[in-house]
Amino acid sequence: MSDNKYLDTIAASAVITDDARVAEDVKKIIDGHADENRNLDVYKFLFNTIDLTTLKATDSPVSVSNFTEAVNRFEEEYPELPNVAAICVYPNFAQVVRAVLEVSDVDIACVSGGFPSSQTFPEIKVAETSLAVEGGADEIDIVLNVGDFLDGDYESVCDEISELKEACHGRILKVIIESGALKTAAAIKAASVLSLYSGADFLKTSTGKEYPGASLEAAYVMMHAIKEYYEKTGRRVGFKAAGGVASTDDAVKYYTLAKEILGEEWLNKEYFRLGASRLANNLLSDILGREVKHF
C-alpha cells in the first residue's frame, strides 16, 4: 500500500484499461445483442430516460418556459406514452421550470459548478449548486475538475465533489467526467472510481460542449466501474450518456451495454439516463411510425 489513498483506490479497481480490449468487448456486445433491443418496448423505455436538455446562450425565461410547456403538452397529447425523465437547464432557470412544470413525475435537473468547464472559484460552485436546489432542482449535474485531475491533484478533485454533494442537500448528484477530454480507458476508469467514492449518484460521460461527447467505449469502462463499486459497497449508482446521443440506434446501443454489463436492476430511469435535445423527437418518430417534431 502507498501513502496515497487516491492512488490505492484506483489501483484496487480491476476495471479493464486496455483500450483495444475495451473496443473489442464493446463490438462483441453490440454485434451480439443490439438487434434484440431494437423494438417498441425498448424505444418507449428509452424515451422515459431522457433528460430533455436546453443549454444555449439564447436560453431565456420565455424560451425555457415554452420548452417546459412542451413537456406539459406531451402528457395531454400522448397519454399512452411515458414522459421524459427530467428537464435539464442552466441553474438560473430552475425556478422558471418549477413554476411552469405541471407533470409530477418529470424531475428538474440543473447543470452547475461552472458548467461546462468547471473553471471558477470553489465557493461559486457551491453557491451556484445551493441556489439551483433552492430554486427547485431535483438533480444537479456538475463537471469533474478535469484540470486538477490531469495534474494528478486527486485530493482537490475528490474534496470538491464531496463538497458539492453536500451542497445538493440530498438531491441527486451527477458527476460528468468529460470522457472525451480524458481519452484513455485508464483515465476514464480513474475519474470514475474517484467520483464514485466521493459521493456521485450518477456517472455521466460528457458535457457535449468543448470535447467529443459520449462514446460506447467510455460507457463500457464507466459501467464496469459502477458495477464493481456496487459489488464492493452495496450502493447503486446510475449511468448517463450525454453529448451526441441523437438517434434511436445510438440510444439502443447504450441500453444494450447497460443491460449486458449492469443488468436489469439498472434498466429504469432512476439509474439510467440519456442527456439529449434531438433524441426525443427521433425516438418519438420511431415509436409512432411517422415524423414527429413535438419538442
Side-chain angles (χ1 to χ4, degrees), residues 11 43 50 55 67 95 97 139 141 163 173 192 198 205 211 213 271 281 285:
Y43 299 168
I50 291 174
L55 297 170
F67 189 75
Q95 287 178 302
V97 181
E139 304 170 5
D141 293 33
E163 197 170 359
L173 177 67
S192 297
S198 298
T205 57
Y211 298 95
Y271 297 107
N281 284 332
S285 297

Side-chain angles (χ1 to χ4, degrees), residues 4-21:
N4 187 317
K5 65 180 180 180
Y6 305 102
L7 292 175
D8 288 342
T9 304
I10 294 165
S13 169
V15 173
I16 297 168
T17 55
D18 181 289
D19 291 297
R21 167 87 183 279

Side-chain angles (χ1 to χ4, degrees), residues 40-290:
L40 277 179
D41 286 341
V42 170
Y43 299 168
K44 289 176 184 177
F45 165 79
L46 289 168
F47 188 86
N48 189 226
T49 69
I50 291 174
D51 284 357
L52 192 68
T53 303
T54 180
L55 297 170
K56 303 193 292 286
T58 54
D59 287 342
S60 70
V62 172
S63 73
V64 171
S65 178
N66 291 338
F67 189 75
T68 306
E69 285 288 10
V71 173
N72 291 339
R73 287 199 314 276
F74 181 86
E75 194 88 342
E76 299 161 14
E77 294 176 23
Y78 303 97
E80 74 284 5
L81 295 178
N83 213 319
V84 296
I87 295 172
C88 184
V89 296
Y90 281 114
N92 48 308
F93 295 117
Q95 287 178 302
V96 175
V97 181
R98 178 59 71 200
V100 176
L101 186 62
E102 296 169 356
V103 186
S104 59
D105 60 348
V106 174
D107 285 341
I108 300 170
C110 287
V111 295
S112 185
F115 180 94
S117 66
S118 193
Q119 299 288 10
T120 189
F121 299 102
E123 296 85 353
I124 290 176
K125 295 181 183 184
V126 170
E128 186 177 38
T129 300
S130 298
L131 287 167
V133 169
E134 190 180 314
D138 304 297
E139 304 170 5
I140 297 291
D141 293 33
I142 64 161
V143 185
L144 171 142
N145 192 317
V146 179
D148 283 350
F149 174 83
L150 293 175
D151 278 354
D153 186 359
Y154 297 154
E155 184 175 6
S156 292
V157 171
C158 293
D159 285 352
E160 182 170 282
I161 293 171
S162 298
E163 197 170 359
L164 291 173
K165 170 67 176 170
E166 195 173 324
C168 287
H169 299 290
R171 279 30 168 224
I172 297 294
L173 177 67
K174 307 191 195 98
V175 177
I176 305 164
I177 67 165
E178 200 65 291
S179 57
L182 302 183
K183 298 177 183 175
T184 66
I188 290 166
K189 178 189 96 165
S192 297
V193 168
L194 294 176
S195 299
L196 289 165
Y197 281 95
S198 298
D201 298 304
F202 262 80
L203 292 186
K204 176 177 169 182
T205 57
S206 326
T207 61
K209 298 295 183 184
E210 190 176 349
Y211 298 95
S215 74
L216 294 169
E217 291 74 21
Y220 173 96
V221 175
M222 294 165 73
M223 287 178 188
H224 275 286
I226 288 167
K227 184 177 184 181
E228 179 186 73
Y229 177 78
Y230 175 72
E231 289 167 351
K232 287 182 177 180
T233 68
R235 191 168 84 90
R236 199 184 304 278
V237 170
F239 169 81
K240 177 176 173 179
V245 185
S247 72
T248 297
D249 200 55
D250 290 337
V252 166
K253 287 175 180 176
Y254 287 103
Y255 172 91
T256 301
L257 283 186
K259 185 178 178 184
E260 298 305 316
I261 296 169
L262 293 169
E264 298 283 347
E265 297 86 357
W266 269 266
L267 297 182
N268 55 69
K269 68 177 182 177
E270 278 70 41
Y271 297 107
F272 182 87
R273 294 286 180 87
L274 298 168
S277 52
R278 293 171 291 165
L279 177 62
N281 284 332
N282 291 335
L283 261 175
L284 195 53
S285 297
D286 285 331
I287 290 167
L288 297 173
R290 56 185 168 82

